Amino acid sequence: MAFALGSPTASQRVSEHDDAPPWTPPELRLVCLDIDDTLIDFSAASRRSLEALIGRTDMWPVWERITDEHVARVVTGELEYPDMHGRRTQAFLAELGISVGMADVAGFEKKRKEMLRRSWRLFDDVLPCLEWLTAAGVRLAAVTNASGAHQREKLAMLGLARFFDYVAIAGEVGVAKPDPVMFKTVCFKLDCEPAQAVHVGDKLATDAVGARDAGLGGVWLDRTGTAADVPSDVHVLYTLADLPELLVSEFARVGVPVPR
């Protein structure tokens, strides 16, 4: 589905003798949002925690690569999510030339997560955007591939839980983004059609293209301005501050908050 909804084509126009109603864009009923690096500056906090533990500032790209590899194994069913963090950290320490058993890995992970928890921060554009969406009468869902307990704790600690009508966790749904089932399950839970929903996230393929392929509007939040090659039917934002304007311009009927 193309999220950009322009004027009707010739095949969509109706004649004066046709009983069908004129074509209009769908009504926006649901906005789905990724959590990490969309709402919460997770990567910066994770990087600070890792560097403090190992005393080096050059290993973050290695950590990201190994993490992506292990998350991919979870998505394919090769690895259980509860085991992922430990196995990922063990592989990372091996890259540093440190061979440790799982007991030592567990200790490293405990310290890292304690430091990480103290470092969580919201991006500055998050609360104004969520408040606007709530005032506009749009339902909200958080959609994440990370663990449920971990993500719910973050949402609660940072005051975000009150905004969301539903939190979709990959491990609980049984599939992960970009699987269309993940997005369609959220729509089903909140009683709306995919065409009445958009999903916003920081990963182009996993979030924006995955949502588009499931029939939702796909919005890529490119906070770092990577200027990647983006499909024409995926929208790109560099800040959530621009999301309200995009939604109002692309949907025929979205409630606009009354100025206070």
Side-chain angles (χ1 to χ4, degrees):
M1 166 191 164
F3 176 44
L5 300 170
S7 301
T9 64
S11 62
Q12 292 170 318
R13 297 190 185 102
V14 295
S15 72
E16 60 184 3
H17 303 294
D18 197 324
D19 292 331
W23 177 89
T24 57
E27 176 184 7
L28 179 66
R29 297 184 59 199
L30 169 64
V31 173
C32 305
L33 295 131
D34 174 57
I35 297 176
D36 290 334
D37 294 322
T38 297
L39 304 177
I40 297 169
D41 193 358
F42 177 80
S43 288
S46 185
R47 181 169 187 162
R48 287 193 298 268
S49 302
L50 181 71
E51 292 174 350
L53 276 173
I54 66 174
R56 293 177 58 174
T57 61
D58 61 331
M59 295 300 291
W60 179 248
V62 177
W63 176 267
E64 286 192 303
R65 172 178 58 79
I66 293 174
T67 297
D68 289 343
E69 291 170 356
H70 282 70
V71 169
R73 292 174 62 192
V74 172
V75 172
T76 61
E78 180 185 349
L79 183 66
E80 294 294 325
Y81 191 89
D83 300 328
M84 188 274 286
H85 285 173
R87 296 298 179 190
R88 179 268 316 277
T89 297
Q90 187 177 46
F92 172 75
L93 292 175
E95 290 274 352
L96 293 176
I98 303 171
S99 179
V100 295
M102 293 309 293
D104 291 325
V105 167
F108 182 95
E109 272 294 286
K110 181 179 179 180
K111 291 178 182 177
R112 187 184 69 85
K113 289 178 179 178
E114 287 173 350
M115 296 174 68
L116 179 59
R117 189 176 292 108
R118 295 193 295 268
S119 300
W120 288 332
R121 299 290 185 275
L122 295 180
F123 290 104
D124 291 341
D125 54 12
V126 170
L127 287 179
C129 181
L130 293 180
E131 288 167 354
W132 187 95
L133 291 168
T134 300
V138 177
R139 304 196 78 184
L140 297 176
V143 185
T144 177
N145 285 352
S147 70
H150 185 61
Q151 295 294 57
R152 288 191 174 91
E153 180 186 8
K154 280 192 284 188
L155 293 176
M157 283 184 62
L158 295 172
L160 298 184
R162 61 191 172 95
F163 289 104
F164 291 101
D165 300 287
Y166 180 61
V167 178
I169 308 294
E172 297 171 2
V173 177
V175 294
K177 298 177 296 183
D179 193 314
V181 174
M182 182 65 156
F183 299 103
K184 292 181 179 180
T185 297
V186 177
C187 293
F188 175 78
K189 290 287 187 179
L190 293 178
D191 192 28
C192 83
E193 296 297 324
Q196 298 173 316
V198 301
H199 175 79
V200 184
D202 68 291
K203 292 182 171 58
L204 176 57
T206 302
D207 289 304
V209 175
R212 178 207 64 185
D213 291 348
L216 292 76
V219 181
W220 180 34
L221 181 60
D222 180 18
R223 288 192 178 279
T224 58
T226 57
D229 186 16
V230 182
S232 60
D233 51 359
V234 167
H235 280 270
V236 182
L237 296 178
Y238 302 102
T239 169
L240 286 178
D242 293 335
L243 182 61
E245 180 181 354
L246 173 66
L247 298 180
V248 169
S249 67
E250 291 298 327
F251 282 82
R253 297 178 298 281
V254 56
V256 179
V258 176
R260 290 186 258 179

